Amino acid sequence: MIHNQDMIPQQPAPRSTIGPLAWMRANLFSGPINSVFTLLGLYVLYLLLVPTIQWAFINADWIGTSRDDCSGEGACWVFVNARFTQFIYGLYPREELWRGNIVFAGFAILIAWLAIPRLPYKRWVAIFALTAFPVIAYVLLHGGYFDLPRVPTHRWGGLMLTLILAVVGMVGALPIGIVLALGRRSNMPIVKSFCVVFIEFWRGVPLITVLFMASVMLPLFLPSELSVDRLIRALIGITLFQSAYMAEVIRGGLQAIPKGQEEAAAALGMTYWKRTALIVMPQTLKMMIPGIVNTFISLFKDTTLVMIIGLFDLLGIVQAALSDSRWLGFSLEGYVFAAFMFWIFCFSMSRYSQYLERKLHTGHKR
Amino acid sequence: MNQTATQPADLMVEMHNVNKWFGDFHVLRDIDLEVKRGERIVICGPSGSGKSTLIRCINHLEEHQKGEIVVGGVPLTQDVKRIEQIRRSVGMVFQHFNLFPHLTVLENCCIAPMWVQKKSRREAEAEAMQYLERVQIAEQAKKYPGQLSGGQQQRVAIARSLCMHPDVMLFDEPTSALDPEMIKEVLDVMVELAHEGMTMMCVTHEMGFAKTVADRVIFMDQGQIIEENAPEPFFNNPQSERTQLFLSQILGH
């Protein structure tokens, strides 16, 4: 028996199942109980949002130089305004700020160049960003060369210090983490046990103890003529600590790659390093973007712990400013500002990672 | 069978007394097998009989513990350089295709010629397009494997292997993971390859393919070669009871 001689043409979906009204009916008002909850939720949102907006924007004071300019009705952003340079640069000498500005501008340009797909020469820009730029940034910020006055690292601070700690930590932790993850899966017993011990050690201790050891204990063991800068020690501590976490994220990804991928590459005559670099690692890194960015974001926020070894990162410098007797009582504004700055950076990383996931997707969802 | 004395170089694959264990499990037992240049071998047998393991030993995806394997005159040892040398001359097609999902079809075919044989991108791409043309999938060259059907993916996998100019092609159940309507397009490519004189070792249950192109059919059970014969006597007059039982099971339905 033949059912249908003619093919049935494709028909549009019923009107009631598409569009914003249908969405609201399905998700917000799908029954009496859900409708009540929706209205209740909207009311709670109203109760929370209105005073917040009034405090932060409508009743807030924006312009001024001292606390006398604060009306006291809302937030007094005058405090943040007056201290802004310090929040960004810490105790960096005022007359040398142009050096920090150049580094910031260079950093922003490089990041934007690498992030915007249309711009060419990505590979060269990346090589420059990873090799020449750190040297230029160090020479500019630290000085002591080319008649630039020296600015010792204990005067660096604020957002600049936070970014230095975070970026160096990320750029260092990813490759070390990759090597550790590969080492942990190695067949060579010495390599494998070294990686296992390294990862389990660094994952097992709190970052605070790592920083303490780096700043207090290490100088006791090292000969006195071999003194390493405090910032450098913090950087090494953070990098090694995060690389252990990164290693486990990447190992999780490596385990998810089907064995057939490695076998197919091997059957084509590729060496271990070519199989890893060309076939396994690109797939692993792509798959683990959420996990890697998650580690990056937590690293970014963990940099605030350097406060306890006397480095003034963004949060540290805000806190220091709060104890200024001329500005007592503005801790809420200070913390909101610090939280907002951290949120901006972390949220940007999160959005960019989602964009990358979409861009690198090649239609092979298993 | 060809009774004339063959030069050693005419033997593509030699396996002498090969034994392999997975832990305590004895998967390959005293395997003796010689494959001449241009010969087409089909290996069949019940699941778990060791037929996949046998061909995977030839390019050292599995390691044998006893006996000797010689590929193209080169003895297979533990030496990594030696293994890689042998793998460059042995192509392999897998049951599950194992295309690289992060690379386009064209890149899948070019990556080994470029990175293993050090060919220029232009040369590798030109050659890859020829092979993709031959397996009739050139128009999909810019797509990713995830966007292709199973049959198309397997044809790309064959092209990817051919780009390395292998002396032997190993096929490990190339059609077992395919929907029925796609089996033919892959078998057609394999038949064509056989007619061009490629040395082939093929683990498959496609008995039609075995009858058309095989010089010899090998039946394995429990890690041993039970019976070995030209297709016509193998199918019409199987000697051992186990072969008869196996053939009745797969041809019976």
Side-chain angles (χ1 to χ4, degrees):
Chain A
M1 184 173 88
I2 296 171
H3 274 270
N4 248 316
Q5 295 281 18
D6 306 312
M7 292 290 264
I8 300 169
Q10 187 171 325
Q11 288 159 355
R15 287 239 14 127
S16 58
T17 60
I18 46 173
L21 269 177
W23 182 89
M24 278 172 68
R25 196 179 307 136
N27 294 292
L28 299 177
F29 301 101
S30 59
I33 297 176
N34 283 347
S35 303
V36 169
F37 274 120
T38 300
L39 293 174
L40 205 67
L42 286 175
Y43 181 62
V44 170
L45 216 58
Y46 168 81
L47 285 185
L48 286 173
L49 272 182
V50 169
T52 309
I53 291 171
Q54 272 179 338
W55 177 81
F57 300 105
I58 297 170
N59 295 337
D61 305 300
W62 299 85
I63 309 155
T65 48
S66 74
R67 65 181 304 157
D68 300 332
D69 298 312
C70 298
S71 61
E73 286 165 20
C76 184
W77 300 120
V78 178
F79 166 63
V80 172
N81 231 336
R83 292 287 186 148
F84 192 74
T85 317
Q86 213 183 54
F87 288 171
I88 303 300
Y89 289 105
L91 304 173
Y92 209 81
R94 286 288 172 122
E95 62 279 9
E96 302 293 337
L97 282 187
W98 60 273
R99 285 150 64 174
N101 288 336
I102 290 181
V103 172
F104 259 118
F107 178 71
I109 290 171
L110 286 175
I111 291 286
W113 196 298
L114 291 173
I116 297 173
R118 269 173 301 143
L119 296 176
Y121 310 119
K122 284 269 188 308
R123 181 183 302 184
W124 295 107
V125 175
I127 291 173
F128 175 79
L130 288 174
T131 54
F133 182 71
V135 177
I136 295 171
Y138 176 78
V139 168
L140 261 175
L141 289 177
H142 189 263
Y145 310 91
F146 310 113
D147 291 340
L148 290 172
R150 260 175 73 98
V151 182
T153 54
H154 66 79
R155 304 200 62 172
W156 303 13
L159 180 66
M160 181 177 84
L161 183 70
T162 297
L163 285 178
I164 290 173
L165 289 164
V167 171
V168 172
M170 291 174 198
V171 171
L174 186 60
I176 298 176
I178 290 175
V179 171
L180 286 171
L182 292 173
R184 191 166 185 166
R185 285 164 56 91
S186 162
N187 293 327
M188 290 178 270
I190 294 175
V191 173
K192 184 179 174 146
S193 28
F194 171 80
C195 292
V196 170
V197 169
F198 185 97
I199 291 170
E200 296 304 339
F201 171 78
W202 289 98
R203 271 205 316 172
V205 292
L207 182 55
I208 292 196
T209 58
V210 172
L211 292 172
F212 258 132
M213 281 200 285
S215 79
V216 184
M217 310 254 301
L218 210 59
L220 295 179
F221 295 127
L222 290 176
S224 56
E225 63 269 19
L226 204 133
S227 83
V228 183
D229 188 273
R230 184 161 42 170
L231 175 60
I232 306 276
R233 282 177 299 186
L235 281 174
I236 293 173
I238 288 176
T239 305
L240 294 182
F241 182 83
Q242 296 293 346
S243 67
Y245 278 87
M246 194 57 79
E248 287 301 278
V249 170
I250 301 212
R251 193 168 67 93
L254 287 171
Q255 272 166 352
I257 304 288
K259 211 162 158 263
Q261 290 292 308
E262 174 114 39
E263 284 179 352
L268 289 165
M270 292 190 196
T271 62
Y272 171 78
W273 290 109
K274 281 177 190 159
R275 299 200 291 268
T276 305
L278 299 172
I279 306 301
V280 177
M281 212 31 91
Q283 295 184 52
T284 305
L285 294 180
K286 186 170 89 180
M287 193 184 337
M288 294 322 279
I289 287 174
I292 292 170
V293 174
N294 195 29
T295 309
F296 278 172
I297 286 177
S298 90
L299 183 156
F300 191 87
K301 294 186 291 186
D302 280 353
T303 57
T304 51
L305 289 171
V306 297
M307 221 186 322
I308 59 137
I309 59 166
L311 292 171
F312 288 97
D313 76 312
L314 177 58
L315 186 60
I317 203 85
V318 168
Q319 236 170 2
L322 293 178
S323 57
D324 181 344
S325 56
R326 285 173 298 154
W327 287 100
L328 285 177
F330 290 103
S331 49
L332 190 54
E333 283 86 344
Y335 285 127
V336 166
F337 172 74
F340 180 69
M341 294 300 281
F342 276 101
W343 183 80
I344 290 276
F345 281 97
C346 294
F347 184 65
S348 314
M349 283 193 266
S350 163
R351 297 303 301 184
Y352 185 67
S353 89
Q354 284 168 30
Y355 159 78
L356 263 190
E357 273 178 67
R358 279 197 307 276
K359 185 182 156 196
L360 297 178
H361 181 66
T362 55
H364 66 283
K365 281 236 165 78
R366 277 191 307 260
Chain B
M1 286 195 42
N2 191 350
Q3 291 298 319
T4 54
T6 46
Q7 298 292 317
D10 280 349
L11 286 176
M12 279 314 306
V13 178
E14 303 163 60
M15 303 179 91
H16 301 303
N17 200 25
V18 171
N19 281 270
K20 172 169 179 61
W21 288 263
F22 283 130
D24 282 336
F25 179 55
H26 200 172
V27 263
L28 294 181
R29 306 178 191 184
D30 293 343
I31 299 290
D32 276 295
L33 180 62
E34 288 185 346
V35 181
K36 290 191 227 32
R37 188 181 289 278
E39 211 174 8
R40 274 93 54 178
I41 309 281
V42 164
I43 303 169
C44 59
S47 97
S49 59
K51 49 199 193 305
S52 283
T53 310
L54 184 143
I55 66 165
R56 285 163 61 88
C57 280
I58 294 169
N59 62 355
H60 202 266
L61 288 183
E62 302 287 355
E63 194 177 330
H64 63 286
Q65 279 91 30
K66 231 180 94 188
E68 192 193 13
I69 298 178
V70 182
V71 183
V74 182
L76 186 61
T77 60
Q78 298 278 19
D79 180 37
V80 178
K81 290 261 170 288
R82 180 84 60 96
I83 293 168
E84 278 156 10
Q85 181 196 344
I86 287 175
R87 282 174 179 168
R88 285 197 293 273
S89 65
V90 178
M92 186 156 200
V93 175
F94 298 86
Q95 182 178 0
H96 296 288
F97 332 132
N98 297 357
L99 292 178
F100 307 130
H102 62 304
L103 302 177
T104 63
V105 164
L106 186 60
E107 288 166 338
N108 261 280
C109 294
C110 291
I111 194 156
M114 279 169 62
W115 288 91
V116 177
Q117 295 176 329
K118 311 281 179 212
K119 286 185 183 165
S120 71
R121 174 178 290 274
R122 179 183 303 210
E123 192 186 350
E125 282 184 355
E127 201 165 24
M129 285 311 290
Q130 274 179 20
Y131 282 111
L132 289 172
E133 206 89 54
R134 263 177 57 181
V135 301
Q136 294 174 20
I137 202 146
E139 72 281 1
Q140 317 275 14
K142 296 288 176 204
K143 285 196 185 167
Y144 287 95
Q147 298 163 313
L148 303 184
S149 75
Q152 291 172 321
Q153 290 193 49
Q154 194 60 299
R155 285 185 281 146
V156 172
I158 294 172
R160 175 177 72 176
S161 272
L162 292 176
C163 284
M164 291 292 285
H165 302 291
D167 296 325
V168 195
M169 285 285 283
L170 308 174
F171 292 85
D172 187 2
E173 306 208 27
T175 56
S176 304
L178 294 176
D179 291 335
E181 76 266 27
M182 294 171 182
I183 291 177
K184 187 175 177 299
E185 66 186 58
V186 172
L187 287 181
D188 285 348
V189 169
M190 290 169 63
V191 170
E192 199 191 313
L193 205 57
H195 289 325
E196 286 164 18
M198 174 63 78
T199 313
M200 292 163 77
M201 293 180 74
C202 186
V203 174
T204 184
H205 291 149
E206 292 299 327
M207 292 304 137
F209 174 78
K211 283 176 192 163
T212 332
V213 302
D215 295 309
R216 262 189 292 159
V217 182
I218 288 172
F219 174 71
M220 285 183 75
D221 194 14
Q222 291 174 12
Q224 277 170 282
I225 295 182
I226 304 292
E227 189 164 341
E228 178 178 346
N229 217 332
E232 213 243 326
F234 179 88
F235 288 110
N236 297 338
N237 190 16
Q239 302 296 306
S240 95
E241 257 174 56
R242 276 190 276 181
T243 316
Q244 288 161 11
L245 180 67
F246 175 75
L247 287 177
S248 74
Q249 277 165 348
I250 64 162
L251 301 175
H253 58 253

Coordinates of all heavy atoms in Angstrom, one line a residue, chain A residues 259-272 274-275 278-280 282-283 286 361-364 366, chain B residues 56 59 61 84 87-88 90 92 94 98-103 108 111-112 115-116 118 144 146-147 160-161 164:
Chain A
K259 N 41.3 6.9 21.9 CA 42.6 6.3 21.6 C 42.9 6.3 20.1 O 44.0 6.3 19.7 CB 42.6 4.9 22.2 CG 43.9 4.5 22.7 CD 43.8 3.3 23.7 CE 45.1 2.5 23.7 NZ 45.1 1.3 22.8
G260 N 41.8 6.1 19.4 CA 42.0 6.0 17.9 C 42.7 7.2 17.3 O 43.3 7.1 16.2
Q261 N 42.5 8.4 17.9 CA 43.2 9.6 17.3 C 44.7 9.4 17.4 O 45.4 9.6 16.4 CB 42.8 10.8 18.2 CG 41.4 11.2 18.0 CD 41.1 11.8 16.6 OE1 41.9 12.6 16.1 NE2 40.1 11.2 15.9
E262 N 45.2 9.0 18.5 CA 46.6 8.8 18.6 C 47.1 7.6 17.7 O 48.1 7.7 17.1 CB 46.9 8.5 20.1 CG 48.4 8.1 20.4 CD 49.1 9.1 21.2 OE1 48.5 9.6 22.2 OE2 50.3 9.3 21.0
E263 N 46.3 6.6 17.6 CA 46.6 5.4 16.8 C 46.7 5.8 15.3 O 47.6 5.4 14.6 CB 45.6 4.3 17.0 CG 45.8 3.6 18.3 CD 44.8 2.5 18.5 OE1 43.8 2.4 17.7 OE2 44.9 1.7 19.4
A264 N 45.7 6.6 14.9 CA 45.7 7.0 13.5 C 46.9 7.9 13.2 O 47.5 7.7 12.1 CB 44.4 7.8 13.2
A265 N 47.3 8.7 14.1 CA 48.5 9.6 13.9 C 49.7 8.7 13.9 O 50.6 8.9 13.0 CB 48.5 10.6 15.0
A266 N 49.8 7.7 14.8 CA 50.9 6.8 14.8 C 51.0 6.0 13.5 O 52.1 5.8 13.0 CB 50.8 5.9 16.0
A267 N 49.9 5.5 13.1 CA 49.9 4.7 11.9 C 50.4 5.5 10.7 O 50.8 4.9 9.7 CB 48.5 4.2 11.6
L268 N 50.3 6.8 10.7 CA 50.8 7.7 9.6 C 52.3 7.9 9.8 O 52.8 8.7 9.0 CB 50.0 9.0 9.5 CG 48.6 8.9 9.1 CD1 47.8 10.2 9.4 CD2 48.5 8.6 7.6
G269 N 52.9 7.4 10.8 CA 54.3 7.5 11.0 C 54.7 8.7 11.8 O 55.9 9.1 11.8
M270 N 53.8 9.4 12.5 CA 54.2 10.6 13.3 C 54.9 10.1 14.6 O 54.5 9.2 15.2 CB 52.9 11.4 13.6 CG 52.2 12.0 12.5 SD 51.0 13.2 13.1 CE 50.1 13.4 11.6
T271 N 55.9 10.9 14.9 CA 56.6 10.7 16.2 C 55.7 11.1 17.4 O 54.7 11.8 17.2 CB 57.8 11.5 16.3 OG1 57.5 12.9 16.2 CG2 58.8 11.2 15.1
Y272 N 56.1 10.8 18.6 CA 55.3 11.1 19.8 C 55.0 12.6 19.8 O 53.9 13.0 20.0 CB 56.0 10.7 21.0 CG 55.4 11.2 22.3 CD1 54.2 10.6 22.8 CD2 55.9 12.3 23.0 CE1 53.6 11.1 24.0 CE2 55.3 12.8 24.1 CZ 54.2 12.2 24.6 OH 53.6 12.7 25.7
K274 N 55.1 14.9 17.5 CA 54.2 15.4 16.4 C 52.7 14.9 16.7 O 51.8 15.7 16.5 CB 54.6 14.8 15.0 CG 55.8 15.6 14.5 CD 56.3 15.1 13.2 CE 57.7 15.8 12.9 NZ 58.5 15.0 12.0
R275 N 52.6 13.7 17.1 CA 51.2 13.3 17.4 C 50.6 14.2 18.5 O 49.4 14.6 18.4 CB 51.2 11.8 18.0 CG 51.8 10.8 17.1 CD 51.3 9.4 17.5 NE 51.9 8.9 18.8 CZ 53.0 8.2 18.9 NH1 53.7 7.9 17.8 NH2 53.4 7.7 20.0
L278 N 50.3 18.0 17.0 CA 49.4 18.3 15.9 C 48.0 17.7 16.1 O 47.1 18.2 15.5 CB 50.1 17.7 14.6 CG 51.4 18.3 14.2 CD1 52.0 17.5 13.1 CD2 51.3 19.8 13.8
I279 N 47.9 16.6 16.8 CA 46.7 15.9 16.8 C 46.0 15.9 18.2 O 44.9 16.4 18.3 CB 46.9 14.4 16.4 CG1 47.6 14.3 15.0 CG2 45.5 13.7 16.4 CD1 46.8 15.0 13.9
V280 N 46.8 15.5 19.2 CA 46.1 15.4 20.5 C 45.9 16.7 21.2 O 44.8 17.0 21.7 CB 47.0 14.4 21.4 CG1 46.4 14.3 22.8 CG2 47.1 13.0 20.7
P282 N 45.8 20.0 20.2 CA 44.8 21.0 19.7 C 43.4 20.6 20.1 O 42.6 21.4 20.6 CB 45.0 20.9 18.2 CG 46.4 20.4 18.0 CD 46.7 19.5 19.1
Q283 N 43.1 19.3 20.0 CA 41.8 18.8 20.4 C 41.6 18.9 21.9 O 40.5 19.3 22.4 CB 41.6 17.4 20.0 CG 41.6 17.2 18.5 CD 41.3 15.7 18.1 OE1 40.3 15.1 18.6 NE2 42.2 15.1 17.4
K286 N 41.1 22.6 23.0 CA 39.8 23.1 22.5 C 38.7 22.6 23.4 O 37.9 23.4 23.9 CB 39.6 22.7 21.1 CG 38.3 23.3 20.5 CD 38.3 23.1 19.0 CE 37.6 21.8 18.8 NZ 37.5 21.5 17.3
H361 N 34.4 25.4 17.1 CA 33.6 24.2 16.9 C 33.6 23.8 15.5 O 33.3 24.5 14.6 CB 32.2 24.6 17.4 CG 31.3 23.4 17.3 ND1 31.4 22.3 18.1 CD2 30.2 23.2 16.5 CE1 30.5 21.4 17.8 NE2 29.7 21.9 16.9
T362 N 33.9 22.5 15.3 CA 33.9 22.0 13.9 C 32.9 20.9 13.6 O 33.0 20.0 12.8 CB 35.3 21.4 13.5 OG1 35.6 20.4 14.5 CG2 36.4 22.5 13.5
G363 N 31.8 20.9 14.4 CA 30.7 20.1 14.1 C 31.0 18.6 14.4 O 30.5 17.7 13.7
H364 N 31.7 18.3 15.5 CA 31.9 16.9 15.8 C 31.5 16.6 17.2 O 32.1 15.8 17.9 CB 33.4 16.6 15.6 CG 34.3 17.2 16.5 ND1 34.7 18.5 16.4 CD2 34.9 16.8 17.7 CE1 35.5 18.9 17.4 NE2 35.7 17.8 18.2
R366 N 30.2 14.7 20.0 CA 29.9 13.2 20.1 C 28.7 12.9 20.9 O 28.4 13.6 21.9 CB 31.1 12.5 20.7 CG 32.2 12.2 19.7 CD 33.2 11.3 20.4 NE 33.7 11.9 21.6 CZ 34.8 12.6 21.8 NH1 35.6 12.7 20.8 NH2 35.1 13.1 22.9
Chain B
R56 N 47.1 -5.3 13.6 CA 47.7 -4.2 14.3 C 49.1 -4.4 14.8 O 49.8 -3.5 15.1 CB 46.7 -3.9 15.5 CG 45.4 -3.2 15.1 CD 44.4 -3.3 16.2 NE 44.8 -2.6 17.4 CZ 44.7 -1.3 17.7 NH1 44.0 -0.6 16.8 NH2 45.1 -0.8 18.8
N59 N 52.0 -2.9 12.1 CA 52.5 -1.6 12.3 C 52.7 -1.2 13.7 O 52.8 0.0 14.1 CB 51.7 -0.5 11.5 CG 50.3 -0.4 12.1 OD1 49.9 -1.2 13.0 ND2 49.5 0.5 11.6
L61 N 50.9 -1.1 16.4 CA 50.0 -0.5 17.2 C 49.7 -1.5 18.4 O 49.3 -1.0 19.5 CB 48.6 -0.3 16.5 CG 48.7 0.9 15.5 CD1 47.3 1.1 14.9 CD2 49.2 2.1 16.1
E84 N 58.8 3.7 13.3 CA 58.2 4.9 12.5 C 58.5 4.7 11.1 O 57.7 5.0 10.2 CB 58.8 6.2 13.1 CG 58.0 6.6 14.3 CD 58.8 7.6 15.2 OE1 59.9 8.0 14.8 OE2 58.3 7.8 16.3
R87 N 56.0 2.3 9.8 CA 54.6 2.9 9.8 C 54.5 3.8 8.6 O 53.4 4.0 8.0 CB 54.4 3.7 11.0 CG 54.0 2.8 12.2 CD 53.9 3.6 13.5 NE 53.5 2.7 14.6 CZ 53.5 3.1 15.9 NH1 53.9 4.3 16.1 NH2 53.2 2.3 16.8
R88 N 55.6 4.4 8.2 CA 55.5 5.3 7.0 C 55.2 4.5 5.7 O 54.6 5.1 4.8 CB 56.8 6.1 6.8 CG 57.0 7.2 7.8 CD 58.1 8.2 7.4 NE 59.4 7.6 7.4 CZ 60.2 7.6 8.4 NH1 59.8 8.1 9.6 NH2 61.4 7.0 8.4
V90 N 53.4 1.7 5.8 CA 52.2 0.8 6.0 C 51.0 1.7 6.2 O 51.0 2.5 7.2 CB 52.4 -0.1 7.2 CG1 51.1 -0.9 7.4 CG2 53.6 -1.0 6.9
M92 N 46.9 2.4 7.1 CA 46.0 1.7 7.9 C 44.6 2.4 7.9 O 44.6 3.6 8.0 CB 46.4 1.5 9.4 CG 45.5 0.6 10.2 SD 46.3 -0.1 11.5 CE 45.3 -1.5 11.9
F94 N 40.8 2.3 9.7 CA 40.2 1.8 11.0 C 38.7 1.6 10.9 O 38.1 2.3 10.0 CB 40.5 2.8 12.1 CG 42.0 3.0 12.4 CD1 42.7 3.9 11.7 CD2 42.6 2.2 13.4 CE1 44.1 4.1 12.0 CE2 44.0 2.4 13.7 CZ 44.7 3.3 13.0
N98 N 38.6 7.3 12.5 CA 39.6 8.0 13.2 C 40.2 9.2 12.4 O 41.4 9.4 12.5 CB 40.8 7.1 13.6 CG 40.3 6.0 14.6 OD1 39.2 6.0 15.0 ND2 41.2 5.1 15.0
L99 N 39.3 9.9 11.7 CA 39.8 11.1 11.1 C 40.0 12.1 12.2 O 39.4 12.0 13.3 CB 38.7 11.7 10.2 CG 38.5 10.8 8.9 CD1 37.4 11.4 8.1 CD2 39.7 10.7 8.1
F100 N 40.8 13.2 11.9 CA 41.1 14.2 13.0 C 40.0 15.2 12.9 O 39.9 16.0 11.9 CB 42.5 14.8 12.7 CG 43.6 13.7 12.6 CD1 44.5 13.7 11.5 CD2 43.7 12.7 13.5 CE1 45.5 12.8 11.4 CE2 44.7 11.8 13.4 CZ 45.6 11.8 12.4
P101 N 39.2 15.3 13.9 CA 38.0 16.2 13.8 C 38.3 17.6 13.8 O 37.4 18.4 13.4 CB 37.2 15.8 15.1 CG 38.2 15.2 16.1 CD 39.3 14.6 15.2
H102 N 39.5 18.1 14.3 CA 39.8 19.5 14.3 C 40.4 20.0 13.0 O 40.7 21.2 12.9 CB 40.7 19.8 15.5 CG 42.1 19.1 15.4 ND1 42.2 17.8 15.2 CD2 43.3 19.6 15.3 CE1 43.5 17.5 15.2 NE2 44.2 18.6 15.2
L103 N 40.6 19.1 12.0 CA 41.1 19.5 10.7 C 40.1 19.2 9.6 O 39.3 18.3 9.7 CB 42.4 18.6 10.5 CG 43.5 18.7 11.5 CD1 44.7 17.8 11.1 CD2 44.0 20.1 11.6
N108 N 43.4 16.8 6.9 CA 43.6 15.5 7.3 C 44.5 14.7 6.4 O 45.4 13.9 6.9 CB 42.2 14.7 7.3 CG 41.6 14.7 8.7 OD1 42.0 13.8 9.5 ND2 40.7 15.6 9.0
I111 N 48.4 16.5 6.5 CA 49.2 16.7 7.7 C 50.4 15.7 7.8 O 51.5 16.2 8.1 CB 48.3 16.6 9.0 CG1 49.1 17.2 10.2 CG2 47.8 15.2 9.3 CD1 48.2 17.7 11.3
A112 N 50.2 14.5 7.4 CA 51.3 13.5 7.5 C 52.3 13.8 6.4 O 53.5 13.8 6.7 CB 50.8 12.1 7.5
W115 N 54.3 16.9 7.6 CA 55.1 16.9 8.8 C 56.0 15.6 8.9 O 56.9 15.6 9.7 CB 54.2 16.9 10.1 CG 53.6 18.3 10.2 CD1 52.4 18.7 9.7 CD2 54.2 19.4 10.9 NE1 52.2 20.1 10.0 CE2 53.3 20.5 10.7 CE3 55.3 19.6 11.6 CZ2 53.5 21.8 11.3 CZ3 55.6 20.9 12.1 CH2 54.7 21.9 12.0
V116 N 55.6 14.5 8.2 CA 56.4 13.3 8.3 C 57.3 13.3 7.1 O 58.5 13.0 7.2 CB 55.5 12.1 8.4 CG1 56.4 10.8 8.4 CG2 54.6 12.1 9.6
K118 N 57.9 15.8 5.0 CA 58.4 17.2 4.8 C 58.1 17.7 3.4 O 58.9 18.4 2.8 CB 60.0 17.2 5.0 CG 60.4 16.5 6.3 CD 60.3 17.4 7.5 CE 60.7 16.7 8.7 NZ 60.0 17.2 9.9
Y144 N 34.7 19.7 7.5 CA 35.2 19.0 8.6 C 34.6 17.6 8.7 O 33.5 17.4 8.2 CB 35.0 19.7 9.9 CG 35.8 21.0 10.1 CD1 35.3 22.2 9.7 CD2 37.1 20.9 10.6 CE1 36.1 23.3 9.8 CE2 37.9 22.0 10.7 CZ 37.4 23.2 10.3 OH 38.2 24.3 10.5
G146 N 33.2 15.9 10.9 CA 31.9 15.8 11.6 C 30.8 16.2 10.7 O 29.6 15.9 11.0
Q147 N 31.0 16.8 9.5 CA 29.9 17.2 8.6 C 29.7 16.1 7.5 O 28.9 16.3 6.7 CB 30.3 18.5 8.0 CG 30.4 19.7 9.0 CD 31.1 20.9 8.5 OE1 32.2 20.8 7.8 NE2 30.6 22.1 8.7
R160 N 43.5 9.5 3.0 CA 44.6 10.0 3.9 C 45.7 9.0 4.0 O 46.9 9.4 3.9 CB 44.0 10.2 5.3 CG 45.0 10.6 6.4 CD 44.3 10.8 7.7 NE 43.9 9.6 8.3 CZ 43.3 9.6 9.6 NH1 43.1 10.7 10.2 NH2 42.9 8.4 10.1
S161 N 45.4 7.7 4.0 CA 46.5 6.7 4.0 C 47.2 6.7 2.7 O 48.5 6.6 2.7 CB 45.9 5.3 4.2 OG 45.8 5.1 5.6
M164 N 50.3 8.9 1.8 CA 51.7 8.6 2.3 C 52.4 7.6 1.4 O 53.5 7.1 1.7 CB 51.6 8.0 3.7 CG 51.2 9.0 4.8 SD 52.5 10.3 5.0 CE 53.7 9.4 5.9

